[in-house]
Amino acid sequence: MSALPPPEWTVSPGLVDYPAALADMEARAAAIHAGTAGERIWLLEHPPLYTAGTSADPAELLDPRFPVYDAGRGGRYTYHGPGQRVGYVQLDLAQRGRDVRAYVHALEGWVIDALAQLGVEARRAEGRIGIWTDDRDGREAKIGAIGVRVRRWVTLHGFSLNVAPDMTHFGGIVPCGIAEFPVTSLAELGRPADFAAVDAALADALPAFLDKLAASD
């Protein structure tokens, strides 16, 4: 496993159109499977939109004020928009351990480790996917979402981390189907990290994430 080259690290400026990103991701996954392209970590921002996972309940789309797209990933409704770091993680699990559960666990751990570098104590929550922390009122709140798809052992989609988005935009959905807990961001926690700081923390925590995948094989 140690002989694998590191994934390509790509950061897109500006706002990336969701359908174009989805098509790019699908094409890259096919190329990774075919052996004609390497793995990739793709960091970007989207314009305001909602995505529906394969378990999305139409009743949880409260106000479709933004475009709604079928994402093809697992999970329910998720918001993406400016001020949110989206990470599309495209790895070849045939080379890194054919264990989807271990992959999702490691992906959560990667974001948690990056948040620790930014001064945020984040964690997993039993029975609730995603990244959780305590907000300024001491309530458990979601700061990051996880949604993945694995096709022919190549991963698609990944995570989103709330840096400083417009939090009112989450009001159009029941985020990830969880109504009883609020959503928060780095800015709301009083830690207004910019994307450069977030990306640097993710890059620093990346080797440990990849090592966990190698260990799961």
Side-chain angles (χ1 to χ4, degrees):
M1 293 297 176
S2 60
L4 288 173
E8 176 187 338
W9 184 268
T10 301
V11 182
S12 290
L15 302 179
V16 179
D17 179 68
Y18 187 79
L22 198 60
D24 186 287
M25 188 167 33
E26 296 274 359
R28 184 63 172 246
I32 291 170
H33 176 73
T36 58
E39 299 173 311
R40 176 176 66 173
I41 308 292
W42 185 15
L43 304 180
L44 63 147
E45 277 181 284
H46 287 305
L49 58 95
Y50 299 125
T51 65
T54 53
S55 302
D57 181 347
E60 294 171 354
L61 181 60
L62 307 177
D63 174 15
R65 68 188 80 165
F66 303 123
V68 182
Y69 298 101
D70 288 328
R73 53 158 176 80
R76 295 161 92 161
Y77 283 107
T78 298
Y79 167 75
H80 292 315
Q84 182 188 72
R85 174 51 88 212
V86 173
Y88 290 139
V89 182
Q90 301 205 256
L91 301 179
D92 185 358
L93 296 187
Q95 303 294 322
R96 296 186 181 274
R98 297 173 185 251
D99 188 331
V100 176
R101 186 182 296 272
Y103 167 67
V104 172
H105 191 268
L107 184 62
E108 291 173 332
W110 179 29
V111 181
I112 289 168
D113 289 347
L115 283 168
Q117 295 190 36
L118 299 169
V120 175
E121 293 185 13
R123 59 187 178 272
R124 301 174 182 87
E126 185 68 29
R128 286 182 267 123
I129 196 144
I131 312 300
W132 299 82
T133 189
D134 294 324
D135 68 14
R136 286 178 150 182
D137 297 321
R139 301 174 300 173
E140 193 168 22
K142 191 169 189 176
I143 192 169
I146 301 288
V148 305
R149 182 178 184 180
V150 179
R151 181 190 298 150
R152 296 183 294 188
W153 294 112
V154 177
T155 66
L156 299 97
H157 301 279
F159 69 87
S160 60
L161 177 60
N162 299 329
V163 180
D166 184 335
M167 303 305 289
T168 66
H169 289 181
F170 287 89
I173 58 171
V174 178
C176 301
I178 303 173
E180 60 268 36
F181 295 96
V183 180
T184 192
S185 67
L186 287 169
E188 286 209 330
L189 295 174
R191 301 187 181 277
D194 57 21
F195 280 136
V198 170
D199 295 350
L202 287 166
D204 190 67
L206 178 64
F209 163 54
L210 298 176
D211 286 346
K212 288 175 186 174
L213 296 180
S216 73
D217 190 22

